Amino acid sequence: MSEKEKKQSTNISRRSFLKGVGTGTVAATVVPAILVGDAEKAEAQTDDTISTAQIQLAINEQKYTIEVEARTTLLSVLRDGIDTNGNSVDLTGAKLICDRGECGGCTVLVDGKPIYACMMLAMDAQGKQITTVEGIADGNTLHPVQEAFIKHDALMCGFCTPGFVVSSVALLNENKKPTLEEIKNGLSGNTCRCGTYPFIFDAVETAAQKMK
Amino acid sequence: MASWGEASQSRLIGKRITRLSGKDKVTGKAKYTYDINRPGLLYARILRSEVAHAVVLELDLSRAEELPGVHAVLPLTEAGRKLRYQGQEIAAVAAETDDIAKDALRLIYVDLEEQPFVVTEADAMAEGAPQIRDDWQGNRSNPGINEQGDVDAGFSEAAVTVEATYHTPVQTHVCLETHGHVAEWRGEDFLTVWASTQAVFGVRNDLSRRFELPANQVRVITEHMGGGFGSKFGPGVEGHTAAQLAKITKRPVKLMLTRKAEHLVAGNRPSMTQHVKAGATKDGRLIAYDMKGYGTGGISSGAGFQAPYVYHVENQRTERFNVATNAGNQRAMRAPGHPQGAFAMDSLMDELAEKLGMNPLEFRRINDSNEVRQAQYTLGAQEIGWHRRNNVPGSGTGIKKRGMGVGSGQWGGGGGRGTQARVTINPDGTVEAVTGTQDIGTGIRTAIAIIVAEEFGLEPTEIAVQIGDSGPGLPSGGSGGSQTTASVAPVIKTAAAAAKQKLFETVAPLLQTTVDDLRIGKGTIYVASDRTQTITWKQTTGLLGMESITESGNWDQELRQGGVAGTQFAEVEVDTQTGHVKVLKIVAVQDCGLAINRLTTESQINGGVIMGLGQTLLEERIMDPLTGRMLNANLEDYKVPGTYEIPEIKSIVFDTHRKVTGVGEPPCIPTLGAIANAVYNAIGVRIRELPITPDKVLTALAQKKA
Ligand code: FES
Ligand code: FES
């Protein structure tokens, strides 16, 4: 590879990495593999072969027609999507927190089942009913889960709250009278850094009673 | 003298009141910085170093600039400059979509010449280690030495001594909303920034200096923010970059850190290693303490910790220093220096007590001069059932063994000057309270409403609280040091009291009575000497005619107090086959002063306990000494507490007086020692290095057997 070609194909040059890494010697063989891998993937995605498609999504009982790339996630449509009429979808309740299915901050219901919207491609959400946290309440009437979250202070900064609300609704749809262990299990895919868990458990118990 | 009045007189203060922001937060309507969508918004990303130490040889942005959809590429370093840790900024891109920004980063060419690095304390202190800070001699800072009394004489009096090394690793903040900003310029000379920050005015002042704008031409807004824990006080490189990119592109720019960057560069709690020798007399007096310790705050210093902690030692000598490593710099993290100090001290206390053949609680009582904590020891011991504790550590039968432990903590949180606030009563009866503080999840918005509503006989929901915006020009300090409530509450209280006084002055003549004879009831105002003369709040404010009443408040020393004591008791169950530690119960007895809102205070105590639990059992930044990279910069391998880890938590709001104090930080302190001591009590082997993971438990058990 000529110097010029190399420069165009990787973001961090191979030369510098092959010089050896730090105080260890083993690493020299490990690190470049990772980085070059990255760079090659990058190349594949940045040619002008990116194609888009127009898809229809049903979100909170409303239809949206949106142009997406194959790689566009459902979460990015919800948060940043602009429909073909130029209107912003702007459903920012679901949050991207980890971007890899580890935190539940992006949880939405797809045909009634909780899923991580960061892990689902927008194209795969076609033909399905998507409910975000914005669609959980019935107009101005809050869902019992939402009422109970407020009552028990099951939120502090509130950044994780939309994910927990949606997961709790999904749990109670499946299991009308969960035990504490079942609540923990049902919400184990969600993370809260402020540490609201004890009051979330209380809230789900209260909501369950209310929904009986 | 101003006061909060008697508890029996309070209708709202000290009660359990739900949050004003609750509805917005459970419906997804609450807008965080990360949720701000502006017309024409561009998305920005930062290219970061993947190596721990390097010199930049060449940086070429041209291919990224050519990518369709890219609006600006900004170098954040240059040839000849050094990169000193993984994650350090190289360049930034602003593009039409986040995906395009991602693509553009891959087109940036950077040639680096790697330098030798060190990412662990041991490597940094090793003979011949590469020097990584130009302004230090070697990788250690000059030690801070402190001596009180006569340590040698102390040891000669000691009946027992313990020598041990305690270690806590680097912990990261893991704010669920990563650090970030949305920046938008109006022309060349007005900058609006939505910031995920703990210090709206701090960010405003920083940006005004940075962009050479008058302070009143920068507006910073933080309506809601998703966690800071001490790491979000300034705009940082990412904030400056967002504003700069917005300036260049003349478009609003959103720049949020990735989860990985959040772990790498957005702050962390430094590590701590202590070598301690301590002695106690036969009758249980802590008599001598000698400690040498260090910690790493990455490339920065600031790795301090408390030692000795809480308990009184007459004769002590301490020596501590910072170790520089090629890693992102530390930032304040929830009670900086305290949890790690408490872990070491509480472990040490138990080790000494055991040598003395004394109950560890008794040993604490002898050495703790704090009266509040003395009362808390009694209450907490009752709550947990301390009498059930194993007298002989590790003596339980069966595979799963139970144990109990205790730990202590101390914090300031007395608030300070620097807050300005305004309370307005409008003729239509509506009320506004405005100040420049910010709600980082603690519930200050609701606390403000409670104070004003109490004063006016209204409901908290009837008070429009405007905070998190520098626009109204009413500064308040950053939310740190558990200072927010104690700083803000007195000013709000005096503003509301002044507005009430004004209202009374205006309406007294109209009601043919005197100001002194007027009282506030629930939704009403009445004449004290003639209870039949009652008019509603709205009728009263209607008498104002066209003019609203607006009063500002002032700082009042008498309404707040610093110094909070805390004690926690833990009961754990250790599976001796898997090494798994399950915390069954924590009793947290937390001195709170006057809890304006008991509900959100309990939330904060729960939150502190859970963060302390994470630090004790789960959390650790793992650096690879061979590659210089963090191995767990995500939320799967960096494990924070999840639902399964949550024990039964009994949060006891221990209100000792009627003055406001802060409670955000202190509850995360005593948890570490309580759990670590409970683990020892369960299995009879001590683990002196956090986190107490199954591998360490199993290794310790195997060594005990051998
Ligand atoms: S952002 Fe989707 S699971 Fe974390
Ligand atoms: S409430 Fe802040 S992360 Fe859960």
Side-chain angles (χ1 to χ4, degrees):
Chain A
M1 217 181 343
S2 77
E3 193 64 19
K4 173 99 173 122
E5 272 165 357
K6 189 182 68 192
K7 196 163 155 174
Q8 295 200 339
S9 67
T10 59
N11 61 345
I12 294 182
S13 83
R14 207 175 281 243
R15 174 163 61 99
S16 59
F17 282 97
L18 291 174
K19 276 184 189 155
V21 181
T23 47
T25 46
V26 193
T29 55
V30 181
V31 170
I34 300 168
L35 286 156
V36 171
D38 255 342
E40 277 160 7
K41 198 166 68 210
E43 195 56 17
Q45 289 184 4
T46 52
D47 345 335
D48 21 53
T49 52
I50 292 176
S51 55
T52 61
Q54 233 182 50
I55 60 166
Q56 283 218 333
L57 294 179
I59 311 167
N60 301 335
E61 296 177 356
Q62 208 179 309
K63 287 252 173 307
Y64 294 84
T65 307
I66 298 173
E67 181 120 343
V68 298
E69 294 175 17
R71 63 177 165 177
T72 307
T73 62
L74 172 58
L75 182 64
S76 97
V77 167
L78 296 173
R79 297 187 50 85
D80 301 321
I82 296 178
D83 73 7
T84 43
N85 298 322
N87 298 319
S88 200
V89 179
D90 203 31
L91 292 167
T92 56
K95 310 285 189 245
L96 181 134
I97 292 173
C98 70
D99 203 7
R100 51 188 275 182
E102 294 160 352
C103 76
C106 61
T107 307
V108 298
L109 300 180
V110 175
D111 288 340
K113 295 262 177 290
I115 66 111
Y116 291 157
C118 74
M119 302 293 282
M120 182 176 220
L121 294 174
M123 291 191 173
D124 292 338
Q126 292 177 94
K128 299 185 160 52
Q129 294 298 325
I130 297 149
T131 309
T132 70
V133 70
E134 290 90 344
I136 295 291
D138 183 2
N140 262 335
T141 313
L142 295 183
H143 187 281
V145 163
Q146 293 171 314
E147 293 276 8
F149 265 62
I150 297 173
K151 175 171 175 231
H152 288 280
D153 203 41
L155 45 93
M156 281 191 254
C157 80
F159 205 69
C160 68
T161 310
F164 271 101
V165 166
V166 174
S167 295
S168 302
V169 169
L171 166 67
L172 293 178
N173 284 345
E174 286 280 310
N175 181 348
K176 299 276 171 244
K177 220 179 150 254
T179 61
L180 179 59
E181 276 314 299
E182 286 167 344
I183 294 173
K184 288 185 178 181
N185 189 40
L187 302 180
S188 61
N190 292 70
T191 299
C192 170
R193 184 51 157 169
C194 296
T196 53
Y197 299 105
F199 286 171
I200 290 178
F201 304 155
D202 292 350
V204 175
E205 275 172 8
T206 298
Q209 278 163 16
K210 197 94 183 269
M211 286 166 73
K212 258 203 300 231
Chain B
M1 197 171 75
S3 91
W4 293 99
E6 291 302 310
S8 57
Q9 304 293 308
S10 295
R11 191 170 54 90
L12 300 167
I13 289 176
K15 303 281 159 32
R16 303 169 66 86
I17 313 278
T18 58
R19 263 170 226 257
L20 292 191
S21 57
K23 189 169 178 191
D24 283 350
K25 286 177 178 173
V26 299
T27 54
K29 286 203 188 80
K31 291 283 180 193
Y32 297 75
T33 297
Y34 170 53
D35 300 328
I36 300 297
N37 264 337
R38 302 289 299 165
L41 184 70
L42 298 178
Y43 296 79
R45 280 189 173 248
I46 294 177
L47 178 70
R48 299 175 179 280
S49 174
E50 275 302 331
V51 297
H53 198 188
V55 175
V56 180
L57 298 179
E58 191 189 342
L59 178 60
D60 183 349
L61 309 176
S62 56
R63 282 197 72 212
E65 282 163 345
E66 286 158 17
L67 186 72
V70 169
H71 287 252
V73 187
L74 189 68
L76 297 172
T77 184
E78 60 189 17
R81 290 248 291 266
K82 269 192 169 181
L83 299 170
R84 291 175 198 272
Y85 51 92
Q86 183 199 11
Q88 199 170 349
E89 299 80 5
I90 294 173
V93 169
E96 288 290 336
T97 69
D98 190 36
D99 281 330
I100 297 175
K102 241 185 259 180
D103 292 342
L105 290 191
R106 295 190 172 106
L107 296 172
I108 293 170
Y109 174 84
V110 52
D111 191 8
L112 302 175
E113 183 173 71
E114 289 218 50
Q115 306 290 309
F117 58 78
V118 285
V119 291
T120 65
E121 298 92 312
D123 282 356
M125 293 191 291
E127 193 76 33
Q131 162 120 13
I132 58 167
R133 273 180 68 140
D134 304 333
D135 53 340
W136 286 16
Q137 298 267 331
N139 294 325
R140 302 177 192 210
S141 65
N142 292 329
I145 297 171
N146 182 33
E147 211 160 345
Q148 284 171 37
D150 184 338
V151 179
D152 293 335
F155 277 113
S156 64
E157 264 189 74
V160 297
T161 57
V162 165
E163 250 187 286
T165 299
Y166 302 101
H167 174 73
T168 59
V170 170
Q171 179 189 23
T172 65
H173 295 72
V174 193
C175 309
L176 290 200
E177 180 181 34
T178 58
H179 288 58
H181 305 75
V182 174
E184 179 171 319
W185 290 79
R186 198 173 70 213
E188 296 272 288
D189 56 8
F190 196 98
L191 172 62
T192 302
V193 171
W194 289 263
S196 182
T197 184
Q198 302 175 233
V200 164
F201 275 83
V203 171
R204 182 197 72 165
N205 296 343
D206 179 305
L207 290 171
S208 109
R209 279 193 302 273
R210 176 91 185 180
F211 290 92
E212 295 176 355
L213 290 170
N216 62 0
Q217 285 167 224
V218 180
R219 180 176 175 197
V220 174
I221 303 169
T222 307
E223 198 191 353
H224 298 288
M225 68 85 87
F229 312 109
S231 68
K232 288 184 178 167
F233 284 104
V237 177
E238 61 276 6
H240 295 156
T241 303
Q244 186 63 31
L245 286 168
K247 192 170 182 175
I248 300 169
T249 58
K250 300 190 170 35
R251 297 263 295 260
V253 168
K254 180 189 283 190
L255 199 173
M256 305 299 297
L257 297 194
T258 62
R259 176 55 47 196
K260 184 175 172 185
E262 185 74 13
H263 278 294
L264 295 176
V265 305
N268 54 68
R269 184 192 294 285
S271 66
M272 174 202 78
T273 301
Q274 290 188 20
H275 307 291
V276 202
K277 185 180 171 199
T281 59
K282 211 163 65 225
D283 56 354
R285 253 182 332 120
L286 194 53
I287 188 81
Y289 178 94
D290 193 356
M291 190 284 299
K292 276 198 180 65
Y294 57 85
T296 184
I299 203 72
S300 66
S301 51
F305 50 84
Q306 313 298 112
Y309 192 56
V310 170
Y311 312 102
H312 176 74
V313 202
E314 232 169 271
N315 308 297
Q316 50 174 286
R317 186 181 177 283
T318 60
E319 180 180 336
R320 60 190 104 198
F321 56 90
N322 283 278
V323 179
T325 51
N326 291 106
N329 62 292
Q330 66 85 27
R331 293 184 189 176
M333 182 165 178
R334 205 167 191 170
H338 285 241
Q340 56 269 51
F343 160 68
M345 193 70 196
D346 275 318
S347 301
L348 176 72
M349 291 296 280
D350 271 38
E351 297 205 48
L352 282 166
E354 187 174 21
K355 278 208 170 168
L356 285 168
M358 203 177 253
N359 186 308
L361 193 56
E362 195 45 42
F363 185 52
R364 279 173 176 74
R365 285 188 184 284
I366 296 171
N367 292 289
D368 193 341
S369 58
N370 185 296
E371 281 172 26
V372 173
R373 230 174 356 256
Q374 290 285 349
Q376 293 177 338
Y377 289 140
T378 307
L379 182 59
Q382 259 166 24
E383 270 298 331
I384 196 94
W386 189 251
H387 61 278
R388 292 187 292 116
R389 176 180 173 274
N390 290 327
N391 269 331
V392 181
S395 60
T397 51
I399 291 163
K400 293 185 176 177
K401 292 175 184 269
R402 291 191 174 189
M404 282 186 197
V406 58
S408 301
Q410 180 71 29
W411 192 251
R417 292 175 183 281
T419 293
Q420 291 177 28
R422 216 163 45 210
V423 171
T424 298
I425 303 171
N426 295 312
D428 67 352
T430 57
V431 176
E432 291 159 70
V434 189
T435 182
T437 190
Q438 49 281 313
D439 196 334
I440 65 170
T442 59
I444 185 67
R445 182 183 271 109
T446 312
I448 290 171
I450 290 171
I451 294 165
V452 177
E454 177 87 58
E455 201 71 24
F456 295 164
L458 301 173
E459 290 306 314
T461 47
E462 294 177 278
I463 315 299
V465 179
Q466 192 189 332
I467 58 170
D469 187 351
S470 71
L474 293 170
S476 186
S479 292
S482 304
Q483 305 284 16
T484 307
T485 310
S487 302
V488 172
V491 187
I492 293 292
K493 161 90 176 162
T494 53
K500 184 172 81 177
Q501 177 72 15
K502 257 282 170 54
L503 181 69
F504 282 3
E505 281 168 15
T506 316
V507 302
L510 298 170
L511 293 173
Q512 291 165 352
T513 182
T514 61
V515 169
D516 292 345
D517 212 14
L518 284 174
R519 300 283 184 280
I520 292 260
K522 198 179 165 194
T524 59
I525 287 176
Y526 62 87
V527 178
S529 56
D530 176 8
R531 295 289 300 248
T532 61
Q533 286 217 54
T534 299
I535 63 171
T536 66
W537 170 262
K538 273 213 169 132
Q539 285 168 334
T540 314
T541 59
L543 300 173
L544 293 174
M546 302 291 284
E547 257 173 73
S548 299
I549 290 172
T550 294
E551 289 295 316
S552 42
N554 52 276
W555 165 245
D556 188 332
Q557 221 14 54
E558 295 300 318
L559 293 171
R560 42 57 70 191
Q561 185 173 308
V564 291
T567 304
Q568 289 178 25
F569 289 76
E571 181 169 19
V572 304
E573 184 175 83
V574 184
D575 185 323
T576 54
Q577 278 184 344
T578 63
H580 180 250
V581 177
K582 185 177 171 68
V583 182
L584 301 172
K585 182 168 182 174
I586 301 270
V587 173
V589 194
Q590 184 58 55
D591 189 3
C592 292
L594 169 63
I596 302 267
N597 186 351
R598 197 164 285 261
L599 181 62
T600 53
T601 302
E602 280 176 13
S603 277
Q604 288 214 38
I605 300 175
N606 287 342
V609 167
I610 291 167
M611 200 174 262
L613 183 152
Q615 199 185 351
T616 317
L617 297 180
L618 305 167
E619 295 181 40
E620 175 174 21
R621 182 187 74 184
I622 301 170
M623 299 300 291
D624 180 0
L626 297 179
T627 60
R629 303 165 105 199
M630 180 175 172
L631 294 176
N632 56 344
N634 54 57
L635 285 185
E636 185 163 18
D637 304 311
Y638 187 99
K639 182 98 175 68
V640 298
T643 55
Y644 289 129
E645 279 81 34
I646 307 307
E648 178 190 348
I649 300 175
K650 173 99 183 160
S651 291
I652 301 179
V653 176
F654 196 74
D655 19 10
T656 49
H657 52 76
R658 297 279 296 167
K659 293 186 182 190
V660 177
T661 192
V663 78
E665 286 158 294
C668 77
I669 302 168
T671 326
L672 290 77
I675 295 176
N677 286 333
V679 170
Y680 176 76
N681 185 241
I683 60 174
V685 243
R686 188 158 288 277
I687 296 166
R688 300 187 181 85
E689 191 175 312
L690 296 186
I692 303 176
T693 43
D695 57 316
K696 287 183 192 145
V697 173
L698 292 178
T699 307
L701 284 169
Q703 278 165 356
K704 183 192 179 192
K705 245 192 188 158

